[in-house]
């Protein structure tokens, strides 16, 4: 069974259980949409790597103009491929954003609209079992799938990454982690009473506790290099999900020493944390080159949400707002991709794209079969980036944050924002006003109506949140209380 495609597995199973009646269903499965890359180099399917950072600011990469923190390796992804200047995620905080990325579907469709509280005993708080992850998809297509770093899609064992399509896991189940090994004092995740305490649980490989010895970012980079080495002879999918530069703000002297001129200690630590990530990305890229894999490896890089500037001293310039905001700084993120075999080199792509597109692009690149019952919201970006398709990839990209009644819609040059329930909608022209400073709602009523109609139609497809959020944790979290 292991080598059968998803639809073959489904058909085989159904035939056993339902006999002749299954033939019709199998025939239907055969007609499921199959995304196929049109021009595979040498017939080889690409490796796929998604590098995700946590709470990194839009301006805190060299490729978006940041100068204070050199990020030569992240920049090299944009330089060797495509810089997406309007790259959005599906939510302005960590966990729902990851649910969107890993399913290729707006998480608001399946009630994933809050950061979950730490609930290792609750089988209802996590990524709905009906949803297929990118690892489910690529694993069924014969890829070796690994997650290194942060999961944050449910702490109950039913949601463990090894049960959601990944063959390998090295990292953390919750929303964050302290960075020095001596701080990781809880061996059993069930000892952690809340999200904050979960930051002190040890790293695991699969389900087995690991005694780490290094700064956590370096541990993840080591593991990523090892993953590439071990899987160099077969197609692989690696989600390298650094928890940096999410708080707590911690970095070793080795990295802090690179920034003697930054006076703000929080900003200096942040810079060191980003620099450590960049080193790790450089090591992964070097291993790909050493194995001759770089040309046919599709790499995406993005942050899971905008920078929380007060919390970690990140910088979203020139965008307004930050993490958890519907303004651009909340959900427009540093975003780039390279795939030398297929994508142009050194291109800026300015139409809005979404983290949702990673799933569809990877599915097409791998020739994998998408579940017809769970329609994707993303698109294969390759024909848009190469110019084969001239239209924008999306008529609009959307954000809803249910608890506050918050909405945002980006369509063309325009952006609709409803900051909270009962507040009047605002309209901005991002081409002329990227900082969202001039509300055009009263002077451009037709654009306002157009975007609000898109919003209403999208909203009608969504459901309310399916589980309580982090804010529902008991107030006793005390000093272990975690930020979102
Ligand atoms: Ca985050």
């Amino acid at each position: 069974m292991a080598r059968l495609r998803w639809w073959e597995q489904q058909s085989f199973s159904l035939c056993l259980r339902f006999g002749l009646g299954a033939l019709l269903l199998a025939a239907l499965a055969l007609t499921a949409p199959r995304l196929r890359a049109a021009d595979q180099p040498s017939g080889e399917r690409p490796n796929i790597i998604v590098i995700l950072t946590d709470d990194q600011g839009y301006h805190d990469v060299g490729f978006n103009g940041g100068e204070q923190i050199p990020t030569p390796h992240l920049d090299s992804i944009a330089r060797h491929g495509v810089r997406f200047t309007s790259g959005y995620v599906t939510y302005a905080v960590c966990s729902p954003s990851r649910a969107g990325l890993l399913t290729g579907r707006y998480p608001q469709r399946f009630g994933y609209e809050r950061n979950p509280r730490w609930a290792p005993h609750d089988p209802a708080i996590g990524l709905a079992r009906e949803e297929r992850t990118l690892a489910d998809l690529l694993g069924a297509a014969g890829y070796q799938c690994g997650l290194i770093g942060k999961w944050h899609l449910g702490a109950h064992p039913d949601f463990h990454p090894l049960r959601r399509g990944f063959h390998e896991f090295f990292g953390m189940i919750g929303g964050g982690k302290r960075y020095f090994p001596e701080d990781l004092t809880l061996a059993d995740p069930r000892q952690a009473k809340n999200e904050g305490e979960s930051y002190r649980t040890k790293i695991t490989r699969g389900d087995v506790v690991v005694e780490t010895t290094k700064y956590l970012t370096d541990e993840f980079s080591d593991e990523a290099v090892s993953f590439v080495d071990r899987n160099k002879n077969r197609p692989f999918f690696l989600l390298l999900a650094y928890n940096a530069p999410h708080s707590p703000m911690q970095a070793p002297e080795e990295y802090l020493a690179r920034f003697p001129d930054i006076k703000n200690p929080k900003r200096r630590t942040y810079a060191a944390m980003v620099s450590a990530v960049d080193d790790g990305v450089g090591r992964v890229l070097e291993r790909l080159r050493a194995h001759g894999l770089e040309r046919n490896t599709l790499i995406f890089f993005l942050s899971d949400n905008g920078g929380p500037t007060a919390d970690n001293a990140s910088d979203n310039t020139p965008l307004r707002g930050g993490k958890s905001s519907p303004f651009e700084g909340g959900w427009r993120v540093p975003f780039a991709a390279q795939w030398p075999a297929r994508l142009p080199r050194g291109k800026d792509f300015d139409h809005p794209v979404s983290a949702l597109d990673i799933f569809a692009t990877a599915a097409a690149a791998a020739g994998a079969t998408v579940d017809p019952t769970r329609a994707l919201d993303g698109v294969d970006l390759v024909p848009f980036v190469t110019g084969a398709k001239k239209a924008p990839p999306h008529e609009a990209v959307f954000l809803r944050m249910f608890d506050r009644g918050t909405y945002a819609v980006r369509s063309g040059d325009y952006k609709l924002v409803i900051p909270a329930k009962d507040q009047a909608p605002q309209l901005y022209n991002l081409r002329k006003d990227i900082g969202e400073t001039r509300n055009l709602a009263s002077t451009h009523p037709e654009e306002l109506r157009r975007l609000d109609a898109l919003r209403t139609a999208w909203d009608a497809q969504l459901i309310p949140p399916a589980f309580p959020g982090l804010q529902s944790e008991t107030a006793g979290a005390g000093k272990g209380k975690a930020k979102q």
Side-chain angles (χ1 to χ4, degrees):
M1 291 291 283
R3 292 193 171 275
L4 295 181
R5 290 180 179 280
W6 171 80
W7 65 264
E8 291 169 330
Q9 293 179 16
Q10 296 298 306
S11 301
F12 183 64
S13 165
L14 285 168
C15 284
L16 286 178
R17 288 156 59 192
F18 301 116
L20 194 61
L23 290 175
L24 178 61
L25 290 172
L28 286 172
L30 277 167
T31 64
R34 171 166 298 200
L35 300 174
R36 178 71 72 185
D39 183 25
Q40 296 287 355
S42 312
E44 294 277 333
R45 294 182 300 168
N47 304 303
I48 296 163
I49 300 178
V50 177
I51 301 167
L52 188 64
T53 53
D54 197 344
D55 291 7
Q56 185 171 2
Y58 185 81
H59 196 63
D60 290 324
V61 285
F63 69 77
N64 277 349
E67 295 178 345
Q68 193 171 38
I69 310 169
T71 54
H73 301 108
L74 297 175
D75 298 349
S76 82
I77 295 173
R79 194 171 65 250
H80 292 130
V82 182
R83 176 177 77 137
F84 295 99
T85 57
S86 288
Y88 292 86
V89 290
T90 55
Y91 208 86
V93 300
C94 307
S95 183
S97 168
R98 287 155 202 267
L101 189 158
L102 265 184
T103 61
R105 289 158 50 76
Y106 278 111
Q108 296 92 340
R109 288 193 188 281
F110 48 92
Y112 208 115
E113 205 162 343
R114 293 168 176 152
N115 261 341
R117 61 185 170 84
W118 176 252
H121 302 289
D122 191 335
I125 299 182
L127 181 62
R129 288 166 193 74
E130 298 77 19
E131 299 299 323
R132 294 188 82 215
T133 71
L134 184 53
D136 288 325
L137 178 97
L138 294 175
Y143 278 63
Q144 180 72 7
C145 301
L147 167 60
I148 297 169
K150 171 169 161 175
W151 172 241
H152 205 198
L153 288 169
H156 187 277
D158 284 0
F159 299 116
H160 193 281
L162 296 186
R163 292 188 176 173
R164 303 312 301 263
F166 289 97
H167 305 105
E168 304 182 26
F169 168 62
F170 179 89
M172 68 188 76
I173 293 296
K177 192 66 67 186
R178 298 188 68 81
Y179 289 87
F180 293 118
E182 60 270 28
D183 290 351
L184 306 180
T185 52
L186 300 176
D188 185 341
R190 288 165 298 188
Q191 290 178 264
K193 297 184 188 66
N194 53 52
E195 178 72 9
E197 286 190 11
S198 80
Y199 281 33
R200 294 185 178 277
T201 59
K202 293 180 188 292
I203 295 300
T204 59
R205 182 185 304 284
D207 269 334
V208 179
V209 166
V210 175
E211 297 295 338
T212 50
T213 58
K214 297 181 181 176
Y215 182 56
L216 190 54
T217 297
D218 294 338
E219 291 274 359
F220 291 156
S221 299
D222 287 351
E223 188 69 16
V225 167
S226 167
F227 181 90
V228 171
D229 286 345
R230 286 184 281 109
N231 293 294
K232 65 180 186 293
N233 293 323
R234 55 181 169 181
F236 62 75
F237 163 50
L238 171 62
L239 174 56
L240 175 53
Y242 289 105
N243 60 313
H246 192 293
S247 59
M249 306 311 292
Q250 295 181 305
E253 187 57 34
E254 171 194 358
Y255 296 115
L256 290 167
R258 297 177 180 179
F259 302 96
D261 297 329
I262 300 181
K263 300 305 178 201
N264 176 340
K266 186 181 282 186
R267 177 70 180 172
R268 185 177 179 219
T269 305
Y270 174 87
M273 294 167 79
V274 170
S275 195
V277 166
D278 191 72
D279 274 22
V281 171
R283 292 174 56 209
V284 171
L285 294 172
E286 186 279 325
R287 295 311 285 172
L288 292 171
R289 283 193 288 274
H291 294 311
L293 298 176
E294 186 183 34
R295 178 172 165 72
N296 200 27
T297 298
L298 167 60
I299 303 174
F300 281 98
F301 163 73
L302 73 164
S303 177
D304 69 335
N305 50 253
T309 54
D311 183 39
N312 69 355
S314 50
D315 179 1
N316 298 314
T317 302
L319 309 180
R320 175 177 173 181
K323 180 177 181 177
S324 84
S325 165
F327 294 102
E328 294 290 273
W331 59 305
R332 178 166 167 174
V333 295
F335 200 133
Q338 74 169 50
W339 182 9
R342 294 290 309 282
L343 298 183
R345 184 183 173 95
K347 177 167 182 161
D348 274 358
F349 191 83
D350 296 322
H351 291 303
V353 301
S354 170
L356 296 164
D357 299 326
I358 291 172
F359 191 115
T361 304
T369 304
V370 176
D371 181 348
T373 70
R374 314 214 78 73
L376 298 182
D377 288 309
V379 299
D380 176 10
L381 289 174
V382 172
F384 295 96
V385 169
T386 60
K389 290 185 178 177
K390 305 294 185 195
H394 299 275
E395 183 180 16
V397 294
F398 301 94
L399 174 69
R400 183 181 84 172
M401 295 189 282
F402 184 89
D403 291 329
R404 285 187 275 155
T406 299
Y407 290 91
V409 180
R410 167 80 194 270
S411 179
D413 291 340
Y414 286 93
K415 166 97 177 281
L416 169 80
V417 179
I418 300 176
K421 280 186 189 71
D422 304 324
Q423 291 194 8
Q426 304 171 11
L427 185 75
Y428 299 95
N429 182 327
L430 294 180
R431 186 169 55 82
K432 297 178 178 173
D433 177 26
I434 195 172
E436 297 171 280
T437 62
R438 295 186 295 277
N439 181 4
L440 307 175
S442 59
T443 56
H444 293 64
E446 288 180 11
E447 280 298 331
L448 188 68
R449 273 196 295 275
R450 181 178 75 83
L451 268 63
D452 202 51
L454 291 169
R455 179 188 72 84
T456 304
W458 177 70
D459 191 53
Q461 303 169 35
L462 312 180
I463 65 172
F467 53 80
L470 186 59
Q471 280 87 356
S472 70
E473 273 196 348
T474 57
K479 67 177 183 178
K481 190 168 186 292
K483 303 209 168 56
Q484 285 208 339

